[in-house]
Amino acid sequence: MTSNAVIAIHGGAGTISLASMTPDVEARYHAELRAVLDAAQRVLVEGGSALDAVTEAVRLLEDCPLFNAGRGAVFTSAGKHELDASIMDGRTLKAGAVSCVTRVRNPVLAARRVLECSEHVMFTADGAEAFAQAQGLELVDPSYYHTDDRHRQWQLARGQQRAMLDHDGATLAAAAHTPDAQITGDAPPREPIDPDNKFGTVGAVAVDLHGHVAAATSTGGITNKQPGRVGDSPLIGAGCYADDATCAVSSTGTGEMFIRMVAAYDVAAQIAYRGVSLDEAAHDVVMNRLPRIDGRGGLIAVDAKGNVALPFNTEGMYRGFARVGETPVTMIGR
Ligand code: ASP
């Protein structure tokens, strides 16, 4: 037994827009992150596995409309939602993932069932939904994922004929909405991270009382993405990785670059092959390797000794961690 148990979470990275930050909105983000950490910390305190803790944390983040996963997911260029999620158990190296699901309420639960109940690692689209349904998971009407903020964000991205990261689109949407809002008094909430540069994916990593690690990641992807586009989040090695021997990692950022850098696995590989610390490996991937190809974003990582690294190369990242027996810490900016 070890008392190194800790849970860390993220809700996306991006550019902190001080001008558009209101204390109320900032407080709301902190409160949501804190509630998720409290719940996941309880799982660990009660002797639950790291796998259970990250599943619970990501499930709650998916249900929170502030983040780009589950309810509150971004829109594709076809005006729909396609969700991706993955999970990995560092004790067994078992993994599960789903991509392009459109009706599964909690994609992380579907990924978890793939890990536990299937000989495969990843299911996509219709096949993933059929699998989730056969597993008795809750399916929802696609309108469940809809939020007005993301819709406004999508309309802007569509107007500019480009795909954009979640928080990037949200800031633009807020700015574009301002003249009307002043007249109607109907201002959208201003979020502290500039939506023009934000990646709203969610994720969690944990080490439990037995020294096992796990990671999970879930996302709606990027605003105005082409139907069928898959980012790093559901890809084991890019958006998610866990191995007791090295670390557990969950990424957020420009998915294509995280795929090309095999970002999450690279943190683990550097620990294994270069013998560096968790902090050094995570820092190298985010600050040196990803910027080589203009990869923007960050990651969260823990190792079996309870070390935590939360590097990002943007101005901010919604994040927090909670050690067993200690008060949770939440942060947004540097
Ligand atoms: N990495 C995600 C993707 O490319 C986006 C994000 O982190 O918000 O799908």
Side-chain angles (χ1 to χ4, degrees), residues 89-93 210-214 242-248 303-304:
D89 183 359
R91 185 174 69 84
T92 58
L93 298 192
H210 306 280
H212 299 303
V213 303
D243 182 351
D244 280 1
T246 51
C247 62
D303 65 19

Side-chain angles (χ1 to χ4, degrees), residues 9-12 26-39 61 64 66-67 317-321 328-332:
I9 61 172
H10 71 77
E26 192 183 349
R28 193 168 160 211
Y29 275 92
H30 280 291
E32 295 288 353
L33 292 170
R34 173 69 194 259
V36 172
L37 287 171
D38 284 341
L61 288 162
C64 175
L66 287 181
F67 303 106
M317 179 165 80
Y318 295 109
R319 65 201 186 282
F321 65 94
V329 177
T330 60
M331 290 163 285
I332 299 175

